[in-house]
Amino acid sequence: MGLRSHEQLVVCVGVMFLLTVCITAFFFLPSGGADTYFREDDSVHVRDTFIREEVRRKEQEELRKKAEEANPIPIPKPEIGAADDPEGRRIFVKQMIKFAWDGYRKYAWGENELRPNSRSGHSSSIFGYGKTGATIIDAIDTLFIVGLKEEYKDARDWIEKFDFKESAKGDLSVFETNIRFTGGLLSAYALTGDKMFLTKAEDVATLLLPAFETPSGIPYSLIDLQTGRAKTYSWASGKAILSEYGSIQLEFDYLSNLTGNPIFAQKADKIRDVLTSMEKPEGLYPIYISMDNPPRWGQHLFSMGAMADSWYEYLLKQWIATGKKDERTKREYEEAIFAMEKRMLFKSEQSNLWYFAKMNGNRVEHSFEHLACFCGGMAVLHSMNEQNKTIADHYLTLGKEIGHTCHESYARSTTGIGPESFQFTSSIEAKTDRRQDSYYILRPEVVETWFYLWRATKDEKYRQWAWDHVQNLEKYAKGAAGYSGIRNVYDSAPEQDDVQQSFLFAELFKYLYLIFSEDDVLPLDQWVFNTEAHPFRIRH
């Protein structure tokens, strides 16, 4: 028994000695060429301090990436408060989008828009009086582009269950329904390839078709989807409006191209055929047209802004969207812009600021609307797609000058935000003294032009101007649960109008995000934006 115990003791001591030697060798012997780290099933084996630090750094980077994927807002950089670089500013804009969306999601889900200070739903007459989720459909492509994945999924799930005909009530604007709903759904399909969006876009466009059953093919302005009855605006004296019936082709032609259903392109082409056949007074397009067959021009009112703007935009963009094959639209665009430059383009006396005036017959009104500021971007886009260098340079210059004029309308206000309309007289320049023109409703057209100018020139001032606007939105337009328009841009503490427009997501936020992004995010040789900033693929 004693001997056996002694033997057991010797064996135990021997085992402990061997374990001690192994452990000592493992931790203290120098590392050789095999001292690397490797991953197998997410296990990390570390052999020295340097490798351990490298692993820590890589794991931290992976953790950050995973957090970005799981968290709706990326983890901000430490210097985000200063946001002194494009990445920081882009992240800041994304945070703005998240804040505005969260307010809508919490207080107005399914409504058309949000009242951010009242924390309730809002709807304007263009949507009738039903709850059709305009903000959801206007925002979904922006949510996808900026990578707000959970928010995008919520929007997609809502749209999948949404029945537009059942939800829409009263008279809807054919134009607004087309550019926001049909356009937003087509864009979501173009970006994601999800056929649900294409089906929904075709459903909405099909519901609009009764508005095109007119003697000339010029559509009515309003439609009741429950009854199929369509009509013009009562205030328009039975006439249709250029920017509305003229801004159908981009969406309808694209829809026919995607679905193979020719009816939509046929309706759009009929409008174009009618306008091509009509004589234009001095090459200009009046705002109003009768519903007769053949139709007649109404009063000779001409504008680059409200009730005309997107007609010119769509002439250019339809040519681009077809891979520059639709030569008729290019020719008619060039003829129209040439006539407007000749008759309506002016330069201010004081500072040589360029602007397109309004005309009533031969009477000139020297004012320029925020809406009309889009034409700077349109001119730049023309320049970017023009082979003739002389013509390209001409339109780039025009775009730069319009971008500068519209920036002046911002810089000369108390808030740094431009008014709805501004005048040019001997006593006032790029400002307004009219109270009714002093408001701002989150319009995107000025930033839109700066976006195109940035893409074309890479002049850093356009990014800086956009960042200035971001800061001013934060200071004056940010409300309790979202962003609101302001009633007077010349007040130091302006009252908010308590409406978060759906186009804030579709347009202003999207252009702000893109101006701080690389050019390969929606490159302009592959994508064209509709007038609500919904991107469609160019057909090459």
Side-chain angles (χ1 to χ4, degrees), residues 240-491:
I241 298 164
L242 179 63
S243 65
E244 299 201 347
Y245 69 80
S247 303
I248 298 291
Q249 185 155 19
L250 205 58
E251 294 81 7
F252 271 38
D253 188 61
Y254 190 46
L255 181 58
S256 283
N257 180 262
L258 291 174
T259 63
N261 184 348
I263 186 64
F264 306 107
Q266 290 169 357
K267 297 297 185 185
D269 287 342
K270 178 61 176 175
I271 298 169
R272 294 290 315 289
D273 292 342
V274 169
L275 293 182
T276 298
S277 68
M278 295 180 70
E279 183 178 349
K280 290 81 179 173
E282 298 188 68
L284 300 172
Y285 288 82
I287 286 174
Y288 296 109
I289 195 171
S290 74
M291 300 300 292
D292 305 323
N293 191 21
R296 295 170 287 107
W297 296 119
Q299 184 180 0
H300 284 191
L301 296 173
F302 309 102
S303 171
M304 183 63 88
M307 299 195 290
D309 45 8
S310 49
W311 159 247
Y312 305 105
E313 177 186 3
Y314 273 32
L315 283 176
L316 174 66
K317 289 183 174 179
Q318 177 64 13
W319 171 65
I320 295 171
T322 60
K324 304 179 184 177
K325 292 184 175 67
D326 188 345
E327 289 295 336
R328 177 173 68 158
T329 59
K330 172 75 178 315
R331 182 181 67 255
E332 292 181 347
Y333 166 80
E334 290 177 330
E335 291 170 352
I337 297 304
F338 177 81
M340 296 184 82
E341 284 191 79
K342 182 179 179 181
R343 295 295 312 279
M344 299 168 62
L345 183 62
F346 291 86
K347 302 175 184 178
S348 67
E349 297 177 6
Q350 298 95 322
S351 306
N352 200 41
L353 300 178
W354 296 25
Y355 62 97
F356 283 96
K358 296 179 182 178
M359 288 183 61
N360 185 349
N362 290 319
R363 183 173 65 84
V364 178
E365 179 185 337
H366 290 278
S367 65
F368 198 48
E369 295 169 308
H370 196 292
L371 282 167
C373 284
F374 90 96
C375 72
M378 180 178 71
V380 176
L381 186 62
H382 181 186
S383 172
M384 296 171 76
N385 286 276
E386 178 58 59
Q387 289 186 334
N388 185 303
K389 187 177 185 305
T390 301
I391 296 175
D393 290 346
H394 169 79
Y395 283 107
L396 181 58
T397 298
L398 176 61
K400 288 179 178 179
E401 293 293 345
I402 295 296
H404 173 60
T405 296
C406 294
H407 177 257
E408 285 298 302
S409 76
Y410 276 49
R412 299 182 186 200
S413 78
T414 306
T415 59
I417 299 173
E420 178 72 1
S421 181
F422 46 96
Q423 287 76 52
F424 297 89
T425 68
S426 58
S427 60
I428 193 169
E429 181 186 50
K431 295 182 68 174
T432 185
D433 54 6
R434 304 171 185 170
R435 181 80 181 185
Q436 67 270 25
D437 291 336
S438 299
Y439 63 90
Y440 173 73
I441 58 170
L442 306 174
R443 290 204 186 276
E445 293 80 15
V446 175
V447 174
E448 175 184 354
T449 281
W450 296 342
F451 160 71
Y452 282 105
L453 283 165
W454 163 252
R455 284 283 179 99
T457 69
K458 294 298 179 288
D459 188 331
E460 285 290 341
K461 73 179 179 183
Y462 300 118
R463 276 184 161 175
Q464 185 57 49
W465 290 353
W467 181 242
D468 291 342
H469 191 49
V470 166
Q471 293 177 301
N472 291 327
L473 288 172
E474 286 292 294
K475 184 174 182 179
Y476 298 108
K478 190 172 187 177
Y483 293 87
S484 167
I486 58 178
R487 298 193 185 281
N488 191 337
V489 299
Y490 301 104
D491 284 350

Side-chain angles (χ1 to χ4, degrees), residues 52-110:
R52 192 179 296 117
E53 177 62 21
E54 181 68 7
V55 170
R56 187 200 62 78
R57 187 189 66 78
K58 288 182 177 293
E59 287 181 335
Q60 187 181 52
E61 178 67 12
E62 287 186 6
L63 180 62
R64 187 187 67 80
K65 289 179 179 178
K66 289 178 181 178
E68 284 190 13
E69 292 174 358
N71 193 332
I73 304 176
I75 298 171
K77 301 186 339 179
E79 65 271 21
I80 190 62
D84 57 355
D85 68 324
E87 181 188 0
R89 293 177 177 186
R90 185 172 64 252
I91 291 173
F92 192 89
V93 172
K94 185 174 179 178
Q95 291 173 322
M96 295 172 72
I97 298 169
K98 179 69 165 61
F99 172 71
W101 177 262
D102 284 350
Y104 171 78
R105 182 71 177 85
K106 184 174 183 179
Y107 298 110
W109 189 241

Side-chain angles (χ1 to χ4, degrees), residues 175-216:
F175 163 71
E176 297 289 354
T177 302
N178 177 58
I179 65 170
R180 299 191 197 210
F181 291 83
T182 307
L185 292 165
L186 284 172
S187 176
Y189 171 72
L191 290 163
T192 67
D194 187 336
K195 290 189 177 180
M196 181 273 291
F197 293 121
L198 181 59
T199 299
K200 294 285 186 179
E202 187 172 13
D203 290 346
V204 172
T206 300
L207 291 171
L208 298 179
L209 290 178
F212 294 78
E213 300 302 321
T214 65
S216 67

Side-chain angles (χ1 to χ4, degrees), residues 23-52:
I23 292 171
T24 303
F26 184 85
F27 283 102
F28 295 104
L29 286 179
S31 58
D35 274 357
T36 58
Y37 75 94
F38 60 91
R39 276 180 201 276
E40 291 178 353
D41 300 325
D42 292 329
S43 296
V44 181
H45 301 271
V46 180
R47 296 294 178 87
D48 58 44
T49 305
F50 173 81
I51 295 298
R52 192 179 296 117

